[in-house]
Amino acid sequence: EAYLEPTFAALRSIPSLAWVPLLLLWLGIDETSKIVLIAIGAFFPVYVNVVAAIRNIDRKLVEVGRIYGFSRLQLVRRILLPAALPGLFTGLRSGMSLAWMFLVAAELIAATKGLGYLLSDGRETSRPDIVLAAIIVLALLGKLSDGLLAMLERRWLNWRDTFTGQGASD
C-alpha cells in the first residue's frame, strides 16, 4: 500500500477521458483502446471501495483469528475476504455504472456502431427518437447489470445480519 497508494492517488485524479488521446496513439482506433478506457474508468471506484473495506475491518476479528491459530491464508479466506466483500460489491456496482458511461464515451470518439454511435448519429441527423432509444437501452442495460450484481451480492452475503429497511419500529 505504501508504494501503490501514492501512484493510484495520482492516477485517480486524472480525468479518465484525458487518457483518450494517449490510448488512441498507443493502441489505435479499435476495440482495444475502448476496452482499456472502460477499464481505467471502472477500476478506481472498485479499488477505493476495496481498500476502504479492508481498512475498516474490525481489528478484533483478526485478533480472534490469530487466537484460533489461523494461517495467513485462513485469515484472508475466513475473516478478511468475507468482511471486505460488502465494500467490494459497492465498488463493483459503482464501477459497473461508470463502465457504461465510459462505453458510451469510447463509442462517441471513433465508432461506426454501438450505443454511443447511435447517440452521436441521432444528434448529427437531428433524430431525437434515436437518441432517446439509445438512452433507454442504456438505462435498461445499466439496471440489468446492477440487478445482477445486487443478486450476486444478496446470494454471497446472505450470512450478514444487517438492517434491510423493512419492519423498523419507532
Side-chain angles (χ1 to χ4, degrees), residues 6 11 13 25 38 53 69 75 77 79 88 97 102 104 112 115 120 125 131 135-136 139-140 147 151 154 160 163 170:
L11 291 173
S13 67
L25 286 171
I38 293 166
L75 205 60
R77 268 190 46 238
I79 294 176
L88 172 65
S97 66
F102 281 102
V104 172
T112 56
L115 293 171
S120 182
T125 59
V131 173
I135 289 171
I136 290 169
L140 292 173
M151 182 184 69
R154 280 190 303 276
R160 291 186 305 171
F163 177 68
D170 294 314

Side-chain angles (χ1 to χ4, degrees), residues 51-114:
V51 168
I54 291 170
R55 285 185 181 153
N56 288 324
I57 293 173
D58 190 346
R59 189 172 37 89
K60 293 177 190 110
L61 291 173
V62 176
E63 290 174 9
V64 168
R66 287 188 177 136
I67 289 170
Y68 278 104
F70 285 4
S71 67
R72 281 183 172 239
L73 182 60
Q74 287 175 314
L75 205 60
V76 168
R77 268 190 46 238
R78 300 197 54 201
I79 294 176
L80 299 178
L81 184 60
L85 272 178
L88 172 65
F89 274 105
T90 300
L92 286 173
R93 290 176 75 181
S94 298
M96 181 66 75
S97 66
L98 283 174
W100 286 111
M101 182 181 75
F102 281 102
L103 171 82
V104 172
E107 289 179 348
L108 283 171
I109 294 163
T112 56
K113 59 185 175 191

Side-chain angles (χ1 to χ4, degrees), residues 12 40-50 87 90-92 94-95 98:
R12 192 174 63 239
I40 290 170
F43 171 76
F44 288 108
V46 178
Y47 167 76
V48 167
N49 277 284
V50 168
T90 300
L92 286 173
S94 298
L98 283 174

